[in-house]
Amino acid sequence: MALTGCCPRCGKGKAFGGMIAFAAQCRVCGLDLAAFNVGDGAATFLILIVGAIVTVGAVSLELSRQPPWYVHVLLWVPLTLVLTLVLMRFAKGLLLALEFRNSAREGRL
Ligand SMILES: [Zn+2]
């Protein structure tokens, strides 16, 4: 569910309206996706995870091969962008699924 970006209630409709933005509601079952607010939770995870991957990768490459500086730029800048965008969708889908399972909502009972 988190991987495919589907609605946490019916599993058929799409939870995402765009690349990393949620839709207002599920088109299939009408679940109000706007009631869930994952906020910056996904971004926080990604800063830690992507930051660790890229930092460890860059340091070990430098220590083992000592490539010219532009190799690092060409390698790590695109990798960081791609990893962040791909994992952002996954992380937001995961947080949405967790909030749905645990009935965590904002401003409504
Ligand atoms: Zn649905």
Side-chain angles (χ1 to χ4, degrees), residues 24-108:
Q25 62 176 36
C26 174
R27 282 194 183 176
V28 176
C29 70
L31 175 66
D32 185 11
L33 296 167
F36 297 96
N37 181 11
V38 299
D40 293 331
T44 312
F45 281 122
L46 291 182
I47 287 168
L48 294 172
I49 295 167
V50 175
I53 292 172
V54 170
T55 306
V56 169
V59 168
S60 44
L61 179 69
E62 176 63 32
L63 291 178
S64 61
R65 299 282 162 96
Q66 293 173 342
W69 64 270
Y70 57 80
V71 172
H72 285 296
V73 175
L74 291 174
L75 190 62
W76 303 117
V77 172
L79 185 73
T80 304
L81 287 174
V82 169
L83 270 180
T84 305
L85 287 175
V86 169
L87 289 176
M88 180 69 93
R89 197 179 159 101
F90 173 75
K92 286 185 83 169
L94 185 66
L95 284 176
L96 178 70
L98 285 173
E99 287 194 4
F100 178 76
R101 267 191 63 182
N102 298 310
S103 303
R105 308 210 179 175
E106 207 159 277
R108 288 171 215 192

